[in-house]
Amino acid sequence: MNICVFLSAADLDDRYTRPARDFARLLGKGGHTLVWGGSDVGLMKVVADGVEEAGGRLCGVSVEFLAAKARPGVDEMVVAKDLAERKRLLLEKADAVVIMVGGTGTLDEATDILELKKHGHTDKPVVLLNTAGFYDGLKEQFRRMEDEGFLPRPLSELVFFAEEPVGALAYLEESLGVA
């Protein structure tokens, strides 16, 4: 599988980096490809390192104004002209999406894929990896949107909430029929 991971490029606490590294190793051991923002800094570097060390492939999609932070020596690197093109390319190259901890950029990417799913423009499985309860508030907000009629489809059809890396990958493999 080509798994797109939306996540932070910030240097973060071990409570976030450890589960991200665990997921990356599972991804690599499974022979999957990481499709990510291409940065060689922060949590993005942690995940890319984990996938590479475990034997997975790396497909980066950077953007012109961040190209200086792009990871060298990857299997594939594309440099988009802007953030909109970057998001489009990330999703085009992916079979599935995992949303890890992140800031406004990650939230933008997450809501974009969910909006596409909501309107039937993609059927790619999406997992929100709720590391250390980071997305508890967002999960509650999504449930409120569903309960109050703001979502035309059940929330369970849009996103799967995983608390642990192993559950995230298991859901994706099951969704896509990968053994």
Side-chain angles (χ1 to χ4, degrees):
M1 287 187 295
N2 293 334
I3 301 174
C4 176
V5 178
F6 295 136
L7 72 166
S8 178
D11 290 318
L12 300 170
D13 186 84
D14 186 59
R15 68 184 164 154
Y16 299 122
T17 58
R18 185 185 32 77
R21 191 176 301 109
D22 291 346
F23 180 79
R25 287 184 183 137
L26 290 169
L27 194 153
K29 283 181 187 172
H32 305 300
T33 297
L34 171 67
V35 179
W36 93 118
S39 291
D40 200 30
V41 296
L43 195 61
M44 284 194 187
K45 178 179 178 13
V46 168
V47 171
D49 286 349
V51 169
E52 190 172 55
E53 289 164 10
R57 293 185 74 252
L58 299 177
C59 173
V61 181
S62 190
V63 65
E64 286 179 2
F65 68 88
L66 294 174
K69 294 181 180 183
R71 185 181 182 100
V74 299
D75 297 293
E76 180 183 354
M77 180 64 72
V78 178
V79 178
K81 65 180 174 12
D82 57 31
L83 290 172
E85 182 183 38
R86 181 192 206 185
K87 276 193 298 190
R88 183 182 57 74
L89 290 169
L90 284 164
L91 294 177
E92 277 179 14
K93 292 178 175 294
D95 300 314
V97 174
V98 173
I99 303 157
M100 289 188 179
V101 297
T104 55
T106 303
L107 191 57
D108 173 63
E109 293 161 337
T111 55
D112 198 46
I113 184 69
L114 294 178
E115 191 68 8
L116 290 169
K117 279 195 81 166
K118 182 180 91 174
H119 292 290
H121 290 281
T122 185
D123 61 353
K124 294 176 185 185
V126 177
V127 173
L128 196 146
L129 184 53
N130 191 27
T131 302
F134 184 80
Y135 286 118
D136 285 350
L138 185 59
K139 189 175 176 180
E140 183 178 328
Q141 185 62 48
F142 283 148
R143 286 193 174 134
R144 182 174 180 182
M145 289 175 187
E146 180 180 41
D147 292 346
E148 295 187 19
F150 289 93
L151 301 179
R153 296 175 62 184
L155 184 59
S156 62
E157 290 180 13
L158 299 177
V159 63
F160 176 78
F161 295 95
E163 302 300 318
E164 296 294 329
V166 69
L169 190 60
Y171 174 81
L172 296 178
E173 289 178 341
E174 182 180 320
S175 295
L176 294 172
V178 177

